[in-house]
Amino acid sequence: MNFLRKITSKIKTVAGAYFLNFFAIFDYLKSKNHIYKEPSISVFYQCFNQPKCVITAIKLFREFYPKNAIFLYSNKGLDMSHIASHFDCKYEYLSNGIDSGFWFKTKEDIISWVKRLLFAAQNSKEDFVMIMEDDARVYRKIKKLKFDFNCVKPCLQLGKDITRFLKIRNSSIPSYINNIYFGGCGGTLINRKFIVDNFSNLENLDSAVEELLPYTKKHFKGALPADGLITMLIFYFGGTVGMYSGFAEVGNPGIRGLKDNFLEMSHWKYYLRPFLGRIEVVHNDKSLYNVPLTEEENRIFLGK
């Protein structure tokens, strides 16, 4: 019986992910209310100890957006100040950052991260803020965006209780969906004006987090991922969440990679890129993790 229950659960998971994949595509195709063509992009980037990745990610971004704002934070990691100076980034070292990085265990962790994102939005003028990570790469200018929050992962879902709660506040979640996906990860693009308009009132932001926390503790069991958090806040404040066609992901190695490749449209996009159109942003490229710096990169890192 346990074996049958596991098989049934897996089938439901796969069916649910495919349903949400096709819903995301349908939602993207029909959305015509707020289309941003070639939007301007700023960057919010929290890093730790991978200077080669930081240099590569920012260098690629600068090829297409040479003057746009970049907000670089080192979360209790290496000193990235010389990299920030080289690429004209606003920089802060977080001596009181959190050890869990993009996973939040307390309300204080959540609020401090969102305040940094808010600061980046308030102090830039671009249309959208990209959440950059060490494994994200920009290979072309962003051509078109349609949502307040652009980037979804249909195999990752918020849970039925959270979805039910958010549907009361947000009519953009269709009635026939009882477990909505969450989006996020390196390459996510969020409407800058939406962040400023909805997160600047810190009392309202605090109330939103208080309302969401009971659901997150039940569903995520231990730590809340940043991508889940920001998706819930966008939905909570009435925003829209969806895919963008230029985003793709590299699959993970091993069994997990096979599973993700099977379930995720962003992985289909990457592996079938000759047939599925242009790729603007790639996430989950960990090929440069722990790779030594070249002489040029070392000069940038050390400020020489």
Side-chain angles (χ1 to χ4, degrees):
M1 289 297 290
N2 285 337
F3 177 74
L4 287 175
R5 274 196 290 268
K6 287 181 180 179
I7 293 295
T8 303
S9 176
K10 291 292 183 185
I11 291 172
K12 286 182 178 179
T13 299
V14 171
Y18 271 110
F19 170 74
L20 288 175
N21 269 304
F22 289 114
F23 165 73
I25 295 170
F26 171 74
D27 195 37
Y28 177 83
L29 293 174
K30 76 177 180 62
S31 296
K32 301 184 185 301
N33 292 332
H34 303 287
I35 298 177
Y36 293 83
K37 293 185 177 179
E38 296 193 0
S40 54
I41 309 294
S42 61
V43 162
F44 170 73
Y45 190 173
Q46 185 169 297
C47 59
F48 178 53
N49 66 351
Q50 296 288 340
K52 190 178 187 75
C53 294
V54 176
I55 291 169
T56 301
I58 297 177
K59 184 178 180 181
L60 286 171
F61 179 83
R62 279 284 181 242
E63 288 181 16
F64 304 100
Y65 302 98
K67 300 296 184 182
N68 294 31
I70 299 176
F71 298 83
L72 180 65
Y73 296 87
S74 179
N75 180 36
K76 295 171 65 175
L78 297 176
D79 178 9
M80 305 289 185
S81 59
H82 296 304
I83 296 176
S85 296
H86 183 85
F87 290 107
D88 191 23
C89 308
K90 297 173 178 65
Y91 176 74
E92 183 179 347
Y93 186 86
L94 304 175
S95 56
N96 295 318
I98 61 172
D99 295 330
S100 52
F102 294 101
W103 292 81
F104 309 125
K105 295 180 179 179
T106 68
K107 178 182 172 183
E108 290 70 30
D109 292 344
I110 292 171
I111 295 295
S112 65
W113 186 86
V114 176
K115 280 183 177 179
R116 287 194 290 276
L117 175 63
L118 173 62
F119 178 85
Q122 290 174 329
N123 290 277
S124 57
K125 297 179 180 179
E126 288 79 5
D127 298 318
F128 284 80
V129 179
M130 175 181 286
I131 298 181
M132 183 66 77
E133 292 180 356
D134 289 343
D135 57 356
R137 308 283 182 266
V138 176
Y139 289 114
R140 294 173 185 257
K141 268 196 166 186
I142 308 301
K143 188 175 183 180
K144 183 167 62 176
L145 300 172
K146 293 188 173 185
F147 302 96
D148 295 312
F149 182 101
N150 300 269
C151 184
V152 296
K153 296 172 69 65
C155 73
L156 301 175
Q157 295 149 21
L158 289 174
K160 293 182 179 179
D161 290 342
I162 302 175
T163 302
R164 196 158 36 240
F165 169 72
L166 292 172
K167 282 165 75 172
I168 296 171
R169 299 187 57 91
N170 193 320
S171 60
S172 73
I173 306 174
S175 58
Y176 55 83
I177 289 182
N178 63 7
N179 192 2
I180 191 64
Y181 43 58
F182 63 87
C185 59
T188 294
L189 288 149
I190 308 172
N191 187 309
R192 186 193 66 81
K193 186 176 183 298
F194 184 93
I195 297 172
V196 173
D197 289 349
N198 292 281
F199 296 178
S200 293
N201 186 319
L202 297 182
E203 287 187 10
N204 289 347
L205 179 63
D206 188 271
S207 296
V209 173
E210 280 287 347
E211 283 197 80
L212 291 167
L213 273 177
Y215 297 100
T216 63
K217 287 178 180 177
K218 179 180 178 182
H219 182 69
F220 291 101
K221 295 181 175 63
L224 172 63
D227 41 11
L229 161 71
I230 201 68
T231 305
M232 287 186 287
L233 287 174
I234 298 290
F235 276 134
Y236 180 93
F237 286 108
T240 56
V241 174
M243 62 174 282
Y244 70 98
S245 60
F247 178 81
E249 281 193 298
V250 179
N252 291 303
I255 298 298
R256 182 186 171 189
L258 289 174
K259 175 192 168 189
D260 289 348
N261 292 343
F262 185 62
L263 296 179
E264 279 288 2
M265 62 184 173
S266 58
H267 293 209
W268 309 343
K269 175 82 174 179
Y270 183 78
Y271 291 112
L272 299 175
R273 55 192 179 277
F275 310 101
L276 296 181
R278 62 183 266 150
I279 290 177
E280 296 157 355
V281 177
V282 170
H283 175 245
N284 207 38
D285 181 353
K286 295 178 168 53
S287 61
L288 297 180
Y289 278 28
N290 302 316
V291 174
L293 297 173
T294 64
E295 287 186 16
E296 180 188 357
E297 290 168 341
N298 198 50
R299 284 195 296 270
I300 294 172
F301 178 59
L302 296 176
K304 295 182 177 179

